[in-house]
Amino acid sequence: KAYLFGVYLGDGCCSKTEKQYTFNLVSGDEDVVKLIQKIVNYNLNKKYPITHIYPNKTKLYRYRSWNKILYETLISETNNKSKIPEFVVNSSNNKIKKEFVAGLMDTDGYISHGINKFGWQRFSLGFINSAKWIDQFIGLLQEIGVKVGRKVLKKKYRSLKEKDCYQININLRSFVDKGLYFNCKRKQKLLEKYKVNVKYQSY
């Protein structure tokens, strides 16, 4: 449930017509979409499929479910995507918070790897979103014990009407120290590379 809500607040969306209540997720990461499919189909006892779409010749994976209860639960617990659910914020169970964070980071989080001018490997971790709850997310990370930089307003590229979008830098060492992770294999692979690179020892 926590992971589902994280992904929903990241790249998921809900919509409704007079007859249909839809949850929709589109991503280039097949494993993320398959995990959401598994979670939702199992809990609803359904067999909603994953389909492919090709906007701008890019292969993306789409999962859609048509269920009023799921729609209403996602909408109500997030106040229509304007807040982090209370069951996450108020939980005393760090596993729930970590799964929620994984859902957000699998969608709108990023981890990158490069070489600086001295020839050293450089890793960076961050998160970009335009939502009202980004301060809540920063607070949640800090509560877990992760060091987070101040949020920075990103430049608007399309038009002045574009939503204000904020970026936060996340301290990689503290992210790893506190046992946070990605379920997205592509991103987790880079996180594992970081651990090896800094000769990280768990304790």
Side-chain angles (χ1 to χ4, degrees):
K1 182 179 179 181
Y3 183 74
L4 169 63
F5 273 87
V7 169
Y8 168 62
L9 286 181
D11 284 346
C13 66
C14 283
S15 60
K16 72 172 181 176
T17 62
E18 290 183 6
K19 296 182 179 180
Q20 285 189 332
Y21 295 79
T22 307
F23 164 70
N24 186 66
L25 174 66
V26 175
S27 174
D29 292 300
E30 184 181 16
D31 52 353
V32 173
V33 181
K34 279 187 172 181
L35 182 51
I36 289 301
Q37 178 194 38
K38 180 179 178 180
I39 291 169
V40 175
N41 282 2
Y42 175 80
N43 282 282
L44 297 180
N45 194 25
K46 299 289 186 179
K47 293 184 178 180
Y48 298 120
I50 291 173
T51 57
H52 299 148
I53 58 176
Y54 297 88
N56 301 319
K57 298 182 179 180
T58 302
K59 185 178 182 179
L60 298 176
Y61 302 87
R62 177 167 66 188
Y63 171 74
R64 283 189 293 186
S65 65
W66 294 270
N67 185 274
K68 184 178 180 179
I69 294 175
L70 176 63
Y71 170 91
E72 291 180 341
T73 301
L74 292 170
I75 291 292
S76 63
E77 294 208 31
T78 63
N79 194 22
N80 199 18
K81 293 192 80 168
S82 67
K83 69 172 187 176
I84 293 176
E86 296 292 333
F87 81 88
V88 174
V89 175
N90 297 329
S91 176
S92 59
N93 185 344
N94 261 359
K95 184 177 179 182
I96 289 174
K97 292 179 177 178
K98 289 176 181 178
E99 272 295 288
F100 175 78
V101 170
L104 277 178
M105 294 300 291
D106 279 353
T107 49
D108 287 342
Y110 65 86
I111 180 170
S112 62
H113 168 246
I115 306 294
N116 67 16
K117 62 181 180 180
F118 302 107
W120 300 339
Q121 293 194 69
R122 183 179 182 275
F123 294 82
S124 62
L125 179 70
F127 183 80
I128 300 173
N129 200 287
S130 61
K132 297 177 181 178
W133 44 258
I134 194 162
D135 287 324
Q136 262 191 305
F137 182 50
I138 292 171
L140 183 66
L141 288 172
Q142 291 172 334
E143 186 182 327
I144 294 171
V146 177
K147 297 176 183 177
V148 185
R150 65 184 181 88
K151 69 179 183 182
V152 177
L153 181 64
K154 288 183 65 65
K155 181 180 177 181
K156 294 185 178 182
Y157 290 97
R158 292 187 288 274
S159 73
L160 292 176
K161 294 181 180 179
E162 184 181 349
K163 284 185 178 181
D164 286 343
C165 197
Y166 292 92
Q167 178 175 355
I168 57 173
N169 291 318
I170 301 170
N171 179 272
L172 249 171
R173 182 70 190 227
S174 63
F175 189 85
V176 171
D177 278 346
K178 297 305 174 181
L180 293 170
Y181 52 87
F182 296 97
N183 282 322
C184 173
K185 293 176 184 176
R186 172 179 62 86
K187 296 178 182 180
Q188 183 62 24
K189 186 176 180 180
L190 274 179
L191 192 65
E192 296 298 331
K193 187 172 184 178
Y194 163 78
K195 292 180 186 180
V196 172
N197 180 259
V198 299
K199 296 181 175 59
Y200 179 79
Q201 298 292 324
S202 59
Y203 47 83

